[in-house]
Amino acid sequence: MANEFQGSPYGKQHDVEARDRISGEFEEGSSSNPFDITSTKNAPADSLKHWRHASLVLNASRRFRYTLDLDEEEEKKQVLCKNRAHVQAIRAAHSFRAAGEHINGTAISPVPTGDFGISGDQLVSMTGDQDHSALEEYGGVEGLSNSLKTNLEKGVCGDNADLQARRDAFGSNTYPRKQGKSFWTFLWEAWQDLTLIILIIAAVASLVLGIKTEGIKQGWYNGVSISVAVILVIVITAISDYRQSLQFQDLNEEKRNIHMEVVRDGHRVEVSIYDMVVGDIVPLNIGDQVPADGVLVSGHSLAIDESSMTGESKIIHKNSRHPFLMSGCKVADGSGTMLVTSVGTNTEWGMLMASISEDTGEETPLQVRLNGVTTFLGNAGLAIAAVVLIVLLARYFTGLTKYSDGSPQFKAGKTSVGKAVDGVVKIFTIAILIVVIAVPEGLPLAVTLTLAYSMRKMMADKALVRRLSACETMGSATTICSDKTGTLTSNQMTVLEAYVGGERMDSSNSNSQLPTAMVTLLTESIAQNTNGSIFTPEGGKDVEISGSPTEKAILSWGLKLGMNFEVTRSQSSIIHVFPFNSQKKRGGIALKLTNSEVHVHWKGAAEIVLSSCTRYMDLNYQVAALDEEKVRFFMKAIEDMAASSLRCVAIAYRTIDLKDIPTDEEQLTKWALPEDELILLAIVGLKDPCRPGVKDAVRLCQEAGVKVRMVTGDNLQTAKAIALECGILSSDADATEPNLIEGRAFRALSDVQREEIAERISVMGRSSPNDKLLLVQALKKRGHVVAVTGDGTNDAPALHEAHIGLAMGIQGTEVAKESSDIIILDDNFASVVKVVRWGRSVYTNIQKFIQFQLTITFTAVAINVIAAVSSGSVPLNAVQLLWVNLIQDTLGALALATEPPTDQLMHRPPVGRREPLITNIMWRNLLIQSFYQVSVLLVLNYQGRSLLNLENDSSDHANKVKNTLIFNAYVLCQILNEFNARKPDELNIFKGITRNYLFMAIVGFTLIIQVIFIEFFGTFTSSTKLSWNQWLISIIIALISWPLATVGKLIPVPRTPLKNYLARILCCCKGS
């Protein structure tokens, strides 16, 4: 029995934010509880509808504001279907026209627009209809570029005047978006609360009856006070909701703002897609989104996924016969460049985006669970209010409810109808107020508030949240599968070692050892077999190298070998390209030289390219056989470089006959580059050091119970060296199977074996994107909450499958980003760890707010119910309870749900997704505070006159002073209890208080308003001024809650959740 209880509450496994995980909590399964949804990612619509219908809701427009709008989502699908049908109809009509068209010698003449030789309408018609004949009549791509004053190599000139002229002539690459809700809309939605509407009706009735019975001088107080209080609640609620809305709008705008490279004035620059203009030359690579409508300038194996526009999953290959590109589509394979011809609403995608709302909301698991809590408490509150209403009505009409002088309020046959109705209205008001307090309508909305705050702060920590639920789920993550390059390492690569001509170069940056012919061949491979580029500015400025870090490092090495990028590229023409493939770990290119000789160059993972080589080029520019001894030499070189944490890349080539290459464009697209019998030219070792601070970040994760696993396409030895350097592996003794495993070995295992071995894997080298997906699936089956980083298009399935997909903001493709839940803007693993902290903070802050709000709810309901049933009157009136409701809903949420994360959060295990929201520690804290407050305030209610020496005062004055003191002490208790709620499990409740300016501001604001209410607005709150000693009594009553909370935290609580005890009791009752 001893181990059933927690001892000291300071142990890291015992806090409110860290509970032991109960077995099976992560398993996805059906449940009879509609609010038991552990993940809303890809949740079926039926489940989402089920919990909505099961919720007790007083204000649906506000409660479901940030949940997924199922009707709008369906409307969005219908608009997409119509748009796709439109695109297909255009294509069919064009094909039909092309099939039956006879050449009649007439040509379409471009119509000049401004300074340009073609009109925007002609461009829209050509690209929208995908009219190839019109393109030819305009002079093809080259003629079109001349009309648009664009150089196909250097792009537009790019100065402000030119860009503005293009926007004036052809429009900007933006589309009208649906305006966000105005403040008045939020004001109207806040007004829709059923209880507030009833209170307004009651206030109006009270106003009319009060004036009729007491005259206009005295009779208006009660009705107007309640009305003003309700309006104040509505206005403050609307202001809070409007601020949240603006934060979400800013974040959504950030999500839509894609940045891509364009060629302007001869060099590549990164711009927002909103800044692209007609005439821009845009390079396209795998995973990119086509930013506007356009035509293909040049492409190599370019394949486009047009499913977002056509609805068909078929991949369309683009070439000179099929040159048209549609905005919004994705590059599935290959590379190329496009000429932008239409932008904004002149594109199908722009019209589609203008016609639908992109953000249809999203609920989170915590939001759903809190709706369950609210529904339970609301049903209980309704039941209590109904009982109170019946009891009060019975007391009133039987004459048991008396005035302060002891006379009954109702006498049958003597009390006027007006007074009787007024009494009934007051009774109904009391019942409604119990519902207002008992139904914590703001509880689910506190999730939205804390998420809005967290998402804004996470932007500063270089994390852009795409899915709200990811913030919460990250707090439950038990493992992170991270890429190596650019995430754990700095992504600043340099060539540190090089083996050329079969020998190690004394200096990797010198060509003095190499024959001129060999340097020419090597630089030809470097300059042509790349997605990068080099721009040499005029005036002798430093060259600008663009491309991936690997490409930039190798291009930089080529420059040091004496490569002239432009000259080298001009000496050969590209026949066909095999883009780098993450499965094959290499990329190739076929070149036709000026002498009609054909070279096929390959570049990729060193040991893989080496295995395809049969010969190598020696230092005498002679081809030598690659015998076993030389293979061992090169393999030893690769292993040594890998052990020094270098990424090894091999460069090889071969020659083929020109006649072996297909001449037909369609056949050439499908032609496979020869990849055997290669001649090895060089092996280079690229250094990519660990990021500063990554070792500390990994250690922090391990202390937090989150296992970090490295999944990389690099050589296993390179991965091992980096893993040791950044702390994923603690020593060489850990670097054995299955801690260290190759992707091909993992994928060769059966499903059962993969599940068993996945738990132990720390490093996976030479992995493919599919290996990463298999690892995620195995870990999920083992009960883990998995976060995965990814940057490539092929990482999309793993990012989608994981509980939290983390795409890289710098190196990540658009396809990867769209499949992710969070984008890491600086590609840094330390930022991933910050996301974990914020995820835990979201859950913790909500729990703090729950504890605070439930304490207020239990106390206020208990005091008013007990007083109403026993005496027929309540110490806390309508205006006072509406002020308390404002404190517990809006102000309390702002103060507690925006608490910044602390380092202590990362010294606790992950939060279980099925653990109870209200923990035993929270139950202990709120019950202690509630019992104390109810006891003290009830004593004041029944014995206040004698305790406060008010026996000699008139009954009305004595009751008013007593009730004012109860109201004041009660509100002060809640203000000071906010400090207790900040640290539910720590003795020092003031720790970090000075860093939370918003908390201090709200506490100060609440305190000032309370003083104003008591001292200056007594008529409004039906209270009276208090003397200094009565204020002192109120303050002392409130201050006692602090030492009481400290003593309470020393009381051990059971480890087993309270709901489990209740379940056992119910089972026993059913069994008996």
Side-chain angles (χ1 to χ4, degrees), residues 484 585 605 607 647 711-715 764-768:
K484 176 185 75 68
K585 307 290 184 192
E607 70 272 23
R647 168 179 277 189
V711 185
T712 178
D714 267 356
N715 181 293
M764 185 184 290
R766 283 288 177 246
S767 68
S768 67

Side-chain angles (χ1 to χ4, degrees), residues 504-517:
R504 185 179 187 277
M505 293 178 66
D506 294 335
S507 172
S508 63
N509 298 327
S510 171
N511 64 3
S512 58
Q513 296 175 250
L514 307 177
T516 303

